[in-house]
Amino acid sequence: MRRIYLDHTATTPLDARVFRAMEPYFSETFGNASSIHRYGREARQALEQSRAAIAALIGAEPGEIYFTSGGTEGDNLAIRGVVAAAVGKRRGIVTSGAEHHAVLDTCENLATSGVPVTVLKVNPAGSVDADDLRRAVLPTTALVSLMHGNNEVGTISPVAGYADIAHTAGALFHTDAVQTAGRIPVDVQKLGVDLLTLSAHKMYGPKGIGALYVKKGTPLEPILRGGGQERGRRPGTENVALAVGFAEAFRLSVAEMEAESDRLRRLRNRLEELIRAAFPGVIVNGDPEIRLPHILNISFDSRTMPMEGEMLVINMDLHGIAVTSGSACTSGSMQPSHVLLAMGRDPATAKATIRFSFGRMNTEADVDETTEALKQVVEETRGTNREERREKRGER
């Protein structure tokens, strides 16, 4: 069976070019970047070159980039670090119900210790209304955290406008750009953000490393204690090999971004057209225009086409197609997507959802095979559902 991977929002395969760039730092240039002998200096040089490369790709200064273990730690450091550094009564957080769990769960945890947290509703496209945000940011608000591009439905939010609202009210602004970096242009100067989260494995880099951009002068307390690495804000021996891989993966993604984004957009649009033709009542989630080029998220309306969501994903996998129903961090539980619920979908429709996310390895043939597989899976799932309903009515 030919297998097709359409879950690139969960993770991407390591690019062979990235692996080659990393390889010497696993064995030959293995020194601790904090050591002052030659081995350490060589490692430090590679680390700082990688930091400078990542900074340049987002319009930052090298000293504003802090390496982390990935997106989740980056979000935690941004939110917890700002709250811990907050002075006086300005400790509140404003976020939205469509954020990644790395943000939502962190905010929920801080709320249990008395930090004021406001979770804004999102519109049917998955973004926050500017007027709602303006009303929510109070003199007690320390930080607004709203993602750049939604990892489930692909909606791109007007982050620059959000940041301006936060700053006008005297608050800092953080955005999770894990899904957008390497896919669309990300420039911290144009976005006007104070903190921005990145992750390497979403852009064909290695797992286990990310970065947090912290604008110069932004107050931020470390959430880990230990050595003085990363200028005291993120202790722990730096992983030089992964940093090198991160920088190379990001460089390649940006260099190939325009052509690759156009290609992925064509594949996504083709799949959307074929699915709409096959299932006229299907719901396409997210903003129809302002969205990431590689994500297509569809739901089957529970009112007109009831579907068992778990069976959709499992049966697609049995047909060789790797998809998911939502965030990789929560899809294993097969609970309704919190993002879709926040957008107003009913639980049954939210569960009957498939997210397709394209990457470098995908082709038009993948789109056509995926469409045919989905037709079969939907028919199989509907047939199973009909049999189950008949059994419940005692017809068998």
Side-chain angles (χ1 to χ4, degrees):
M1 177 191 297
R2 194 171 86 88
R3 303 199 65 82
I4 298 172
Y5 184 74
L6 289 174
D7 197 16
H8 289 82
T9 46
T11 196
T12 55
L14 184 70
D15 190 299
R17 295 168 293 181
V18 174
F19 178 76
R20 288 194 293 271
M22 295 167 60
E23 199 168 9
Y25 298 93
F26 286 112
S27 54
E28 299 167 23
T29 310
F30 59 84
N32 187 320
S34 295
S35 299
I36 62 173
H37 48 60
R38 180 172 179 174
Y39 293 92
R41 293 197 305 273
E42 289 175 343
R44 172 59 60 182
Q45 182 180 20
L47 183 72
E48 296 309 322
Q49 287 174 344
S50 300
R51 192 189 311 278
I54 292 167
L57 291 168
I58 62 169
E61 298 178 8
E64 296 175 316
I65 300 297
Y66 297 84
F67 287 112
T68 67
S69 63
T72 294
E73 186 189 340
D75 287 344
N76 270 261
L77 177 55
I79 296 167
R80 294 180 186 277
V82 166
V83 170
V87 177
K89 295 182 179 180
R90 191 176 277 279
R91 299 179 66 235
I93 304 169
V94 175
T95 188
S96 87
E99 301 302 303
H100 191 280
H101 276 294
V103 169
L104 285 176
D105 290 0
T106 300
C107 292
E108 182 181 348
N109 178 257
L110 287 170
T112 64
S113 61
V115 175
V117 174
T118 300
V119 180
L120 296 174
K121 294 181 179 180
V122 295
N123 61 30
S127 59
V128 168
D129 181 80
D131 288 335
D132 288 345
L133 177 60
R134 198 171 285 110
R135 285 188 291 268
V137 185
L138 304 173
T140 55
T141 303
L143 179 71
V144 175
S145 181
L146 296 170
M147 64 177 15
H148 190 201
N150 190 275
N151 57 301
E152 293 197 24
V153 300
T155 296
I156 301 170
S157 293
V159 163
Y162 293 162
D164 184 61
I165 291 170
H167 293 154
T168 298
L172 297 171
F173 188 87
H174 162 251
T175 193
D176 182 322
V178 164
Q179 289 295 339
T180 54
R183 304 285 188 182
I184 62 174
V186 172
D187 186 310
V188 295
Q189 305 302 323
K190 293 179 180 178
L191 293 176
V193 298
D194 302 292
L195 306 106
L196 180 143
T197 305
L198 301 167
S199 181
H201 78 104
K202 306 295 188 178
M203 55 179 82
Y204 306 92
K207 296 177 180 66
I209 189 164
L212 179 66
Y213 158 77
V214 183
K215 184 178 179 180
K216 187 177 181 180
T218 300
L220 188 80
E221 284 290 312
I223 60 175
L224 300 175
R225 301 292 170 176
Q229 294 90 347
E230 296 301 292
R231 301 174 301 289
R233 281 180 162 170
R234 202 283 183 174
T237 301
E238 298 98 339
N239 194 321
V240 177
L242 298 192
V244 169
F246 185 3
E248 180 66 0
F250 201 178
R251 183 189 70 78
L252 290 168
S253 293
V254 170
E256 300 168 0
M257 180 190 299
E258 185 175 356
E260 180 65 358
S261 292
D262 287 344
R263 190 184 74 85
L264 295 182
R265 190 177 292 109
R266 288 194 298 270
L267 293 179
R268 182 204 64 197
N269 291 347
R270 177 176 174 82
L271 180 60
E272 181 177 334
E273 290 169 5
L274 291 173
I275 289 175
R276 285 187 184 277
F279 311 104
V282 76
I283 300 169
V284 176
N285 298 302
D287 193 291
E289 300 295 334
I290 309 172
R291 55 176 171 164
L292 290 169
H294 65 300
I295 297 176
L296 175 64
N297 185 302
I298 65 163
S299 296
F300 293 95
D301 193 333
S302 63
R303 298 168 298 180
T304 59
M305 201 173 182
M307 199 72 57
E308 179 53 52
E310 183 174 3
M311 292 304 297
L312 285 173
V313 175
I314 292 172
N315 286 341
M316 286 294 284
D317 188 51
L318 292 175
H319 282 263
I321 317 292
V323 295
T324 188
S325 60
S327 170
C329 300
T330 56
S331 59
S333 65
M334 297 309 299
Q335 295 299 311
S337 159
H338 73 282
V339 173
L340 295 181
L341 294 179
M343 290 166 55
R345 301 282 179 251
D346 64 272
T349 298
K351 286 189 72 173
T353 295
I354 297 180
R355 180 187 66 183
F356 307 89
S357 49
F358 293 91
R360 290 175 185 165
M361 67 179 74
N362 295 129
T363 64
E364 276 198 12
D366 293 344
V367 170
D368 296 340
E369 288 187 39
T370 297
T371 305
E372 292 306 310
L374 183 61
K375 292 177 183 178
Q376 295 180 48
V377 164
V378 168
E379 186 56 36
E380 291 163 1
T381 304
R382 295 182 78 180
T384 300
N385 290 346
R386 284 194 294 267
E387 290 299 315
E388 288 176 349
R389 288 195 294 271
R390 288 178 58 192
E391 289 182 6
K392 287 180 181 179
R393 291 196 301 263
E395 296 178 13
R396 289 187 62 186

